[in-house]
Each structure stands twice: as C-alpha cells, then as structure tokens.
Amino acid sequence: MGGAVRISGRLDLMALRRSAQRLVDRHPSLRTTFHTTPLGEIVQRVAPRAAVAFVSEVVNGDDDETLVKRLNDEADRPF
C-alpha cells in the first residue's frame, strides 16, 4: 500500500531512513518474499536482512493534480 504525506518544515531524512530500516529489521513479514520452485510450488523466504529501498523527491511548485498523477503512477508500478 502506498501513501503520501505533505511535510512542512525541516525533515531529518536520515532519521526517517533509520526508522524505516528498524521497522524492516524488527518485522520478518517486511523481509518476506515468495518464489516458485521448479515443481510449481510457491515457497516463502524470509531474508535475514533487507535494506530499505527509499526514494525522496522534492516537489515544490507542483500542483495537486500533478502530484496525484505521480503518486498514482508510482502506486501502479510493479514491485
């Protein structure tokens, strides 16, 4: 699930990244992937560690319609 927030003021981006990484480190479900075996069975794998993929963008000056389109495009992108 994707989401967005509008932040006014100074953001400590490194603290946000560390917090997100700690959540992933603490919760195995956030490090879980599913794979298909050669026999067609689906198996679950929990990685011992997974680096958080984190993208930040400055969007000053974009109108709400442009931002909504960008967010929808990102939400529709396969992962």
Side-chain angles (χ1 to χ4, degrees):
M1 271 180 6
V5 295
R6 186 178 302 263
I7 299 173
S8 299
R10 189 174 178 281
L11 172 67
D12 186 340
L13 190 55
M14 290 309 298
L16 182 61
R17 288 176 189 266
R18 284 191 307 271
S19 297
Q21 185 64 59
R22 285 185 180 160
L23 284 172
V24 170
D25 292 344
R26 185 177 309 136
H27 298 285
S29 62
L30 299 175
R31 300 187 314 273
T32 300
T33 55
F34 296 90
H35 304 268
T36 305
T37 69
L39 298 175
E41 299 171 320
I42 297 175
V43 295
Q44 172 182 318
R45 294 185 189 151
V46 179
R49 176 129 168 85
V52 170
F54 203 100
V55 176
S56 64
E57 295 184 34
V58 176
V59 292
N60 292 335
D62 287 354
D63 60 37
D64 285 349
E65 185 177 327
T66 301
L67 292 174
V68 167
K69 181 178 182 337
R70 288 176 66 185
L71 291 169
N72 286 335
D73 289 348
E74 184 65 22
D76 289 341
R77 188 173 57 86
F79 60 93

